[in-house]
C-alpha cells in the first residue's frame, strides 16, 4: 500500500509511504522552516503509522552544509527514538567529501548508493512482530 503524506505543498518536502518505509526525496536547498516541518511530519507519520524505516534520497542535493548535515542527523535520531531506522541514499561524491571536511559523522545514519539498495537495507532484518507498541531488535 502506498499513500502520499502530506499532499505536496510549496515549502514542504513530500513524504511517501512505501509499505513499512517512508521515502523522502530532497531536492536543492532545505530552508529552516522546511526542515523543521519535515522533521515534524516524519516524527508524526512514524508514530501514527508504525513504519520501520525512513529512506532519505539526497541524489538531488548538489551542495551540503553543516545545517543540512545536522538536519539529517536529527531526522535519524528522532526516527531511532520512534523505533525506525534511517538510510540515506544517492549521496554524490562531492557531498560525501564535504561532509567529511565539515567533520560531520552523521551518527545513526546508514548509507546506500541507490534507493534500491537502501530499501534492501531497511527491509532486511526487520523484526516480524510488535507487541504493546514496542519493538525488540535482534543483535
Amino acid at each position: 500500500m502506498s499513500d502520499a503524506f502530506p499532499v505536496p505543498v510549496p515549502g514542504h518536502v513530500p513524504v511517501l509511504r512505501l509499505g513499512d518505509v517512508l521515502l523522502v526525496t530532497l531536492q536543492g536547498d532545505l530552508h529552516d522552516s522546511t526542515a523543521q516541518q519535515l522533521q515534524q511530519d516524519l516524527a508524526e507519520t512514524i508514530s501514527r503509522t508504525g513504519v520501520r524505516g525512513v529512506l532519505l534520497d539526497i541524489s538531488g542535493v548538489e551542495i551540503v552544509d553543516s545545517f543540512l548535515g545536522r538536519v539529517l542527523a536529527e531526522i535519524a535520531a528522532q526516527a531511532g527514538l520512534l523505533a525506525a531506522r534511517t538510510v540515506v541514499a544517492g549521496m554524490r561524491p562531492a557531498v560525501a567529501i564535504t561532509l567529511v571536511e565539515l567533520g560531520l559523522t552523521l551518527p545513526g545514519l546508514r548509507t546506500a548508493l541507490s534507493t534500491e539498495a537502501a530499501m534492501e537495507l531497511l527491509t532486511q532484518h526487520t523484526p516480524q512482530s510488535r507487541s504493546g507498541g514496542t519493538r525488540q531488535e535482534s543483535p
Side-chain angles (χ1 to χ4, degrees):
M1 163 168 38
S2 174
D3 59 277
F5 176 82
V7 174
V9 174
H12 279 70
V13 176
V15 177
L16 301 176
R17 182 174 178 189
L18 304 172
D20 251 4
V21 175
L22 297 178
L23 171 62
V24 180
T25 303
L26 299 179
Q27 300 285 329
D29 292 336
L30 192 63
H31 302 286
D32 290 1
S33 60
T34 307
Q36 185 176 24
Q37 186 64 52
L38 174 61
Q39 289 175 326
Q40 184 176 344
D41 290 346
L42 282 172
E44 289 174 3
T45 304
I46 293 167
S47 178
R48 186 179 74 250
T49 63
V51 296
R52 298 167 186 261
V54 176
L55 194 167
L56 297 170
D57 178 4
I58 63 168
S59 58
V61 176
E62 294 189 31
I63 299 172
V64 70
D65 57 11
S66 59
F67 171 73
L68 181 57
R70 183 175 53 83
V71 168
L72 296 175
E74 287 175 0
I75 287 171
Q78 289 174 345
L81 289 172
L82 294 169
R85 295 182 297 157
T86 303
V87 176
V88 172
M91 187 178 300
R92 296 171 186 247
V95 170
I97 291 167
T98 302
L99 287 172
V100 170
E101 288 174 348
L102 291 171
L104 299 173
T105 57
L106 304 179
L109 279 178
R110 303 268 327 252
T111 59
L113 293 177
S114 67
T115 54
E116 293 84 6
M119 284 298 286
E120 284 182 33
L121 277 174
L122 288 169
T123 56
Q124 65 184 208
H125 306 301
T126 301
Q128 296 300 315
S129 64
R130 288 180 119 164
S131 61
T134 61
R135 176 176 37 196
Q136 299 291 325
E137 300 258 351
S138 57

